[in-house]
Amino acid sequence: GAGRIELCAGLVEGGTTPSMGLLQVVKQCVRVPVFVMIRPRGGDFLYSDREVEVMKADIRLAKLHGADGLVFGALTEDGRIDTELCTALLAVCRPLPVTFHRAFDMVHDPLVALETLISLGFERVLTSGCDSSALEGLSLIKRLAEQVMPSVLYVTSEFFSPGGGITERNLQRILEGSTASEFHCSARSARDSGMKFRNPNVAMGASFSAPEYSIKVADVAKVRTLNAIAKNIL
């Protein structure tokens, strides 16, 4: 029932650019639009010149391998939208639609930032309302919609895509309270590894990384449940 996929690697870091092999296989398996994350690393959204080169190269490759849209975000050191970089990346992305991801939740002034994104030509913004989850940030999401949408003709309820901590328990409150007509979530659960031999003394990542023998997967039942809740409300 999902209407779109945001394809990323590195969910522990909040999502990074997936491999082109993954994109190719996913495109062979699904019929819904696939939007590709363009984020060369975890951490902040202040990028070096070399990282920008990587982002542009990844955008070109994603388009070549069938991406239906792109997802990225870039900020200046003082917490504003990096208009110069975003303009340059948007030019490489076109004619595909582009979403500004949850880098938005790290901006200094969200109202100013939103007006900037609209003027630059982004089709969508993912946001948790600059808080730990979309439920916690619900009042800001609603305020953004109320203050900006009436003055901009092309912005619709699809422009705002609440995301962050969305579950079956809070989706109804978020959709009803935000006036959004879509939402964004991982709908994931843990699946135990199929490995029978396990070495408990070795980890492949840093101490904060996910355990080797527990795999995070998209939970089909959760997707269907969330979709049913949304259809009932919308």
Side-chain angles (χ1 to χ4, degrees), residues 6-24:
E6 180 185 293
L7 191 64
C8 358
L11 291 183
V12 172
E13 296 183 286
T16 54
T17 305
S19 74
M20 293 304 103
L22 177 59
L23 173 58
Q24 281 186 300

Side-chain angles (χ1 to χ4, degrees), residues 99-177:
T99 299
F100 193 93
H101 60 42
R102 289 188 59 207
F104 181 83
D105 292 324
M106 301 298 188
V107 297
H108 176 70
D109 188 329
L111 284 174
V112 171
L114 187 58
E115 291 176 356
T116 301
L117 294 182
I118 292 169
S119 68
L120 288 174
F122 283 90
E123 279 82 6
R124 179 179 287 103
V125 57
L126 302 181
T127 180
S128 64
C130 301
D131 214 318
S132 57
S133 72
L135 187 60
E136 297 294 328
L138 191 54
S139 60
L140 178 59
I141 295 172
K142 186 177 181 181
R143 183 181 169 205
L144 289 167
E146 289 174 345
Q147 293 200 17
V148 178
M149 284 172 62
S151 63
V152 184
L153 292 178
Y154 91 86
V155 173
T156 66
S157 55
E158 276 118 24
F159 185 80
F160 295 94
S161 188
I166 290 181
T167 68
E168 309 95 294
R169 295 183 297 276
N170 59 30
L171 177 60
Q172 181 172 346
R173 289 175 61 190
I174 290 168
L175 289 179
E176 291 178 344

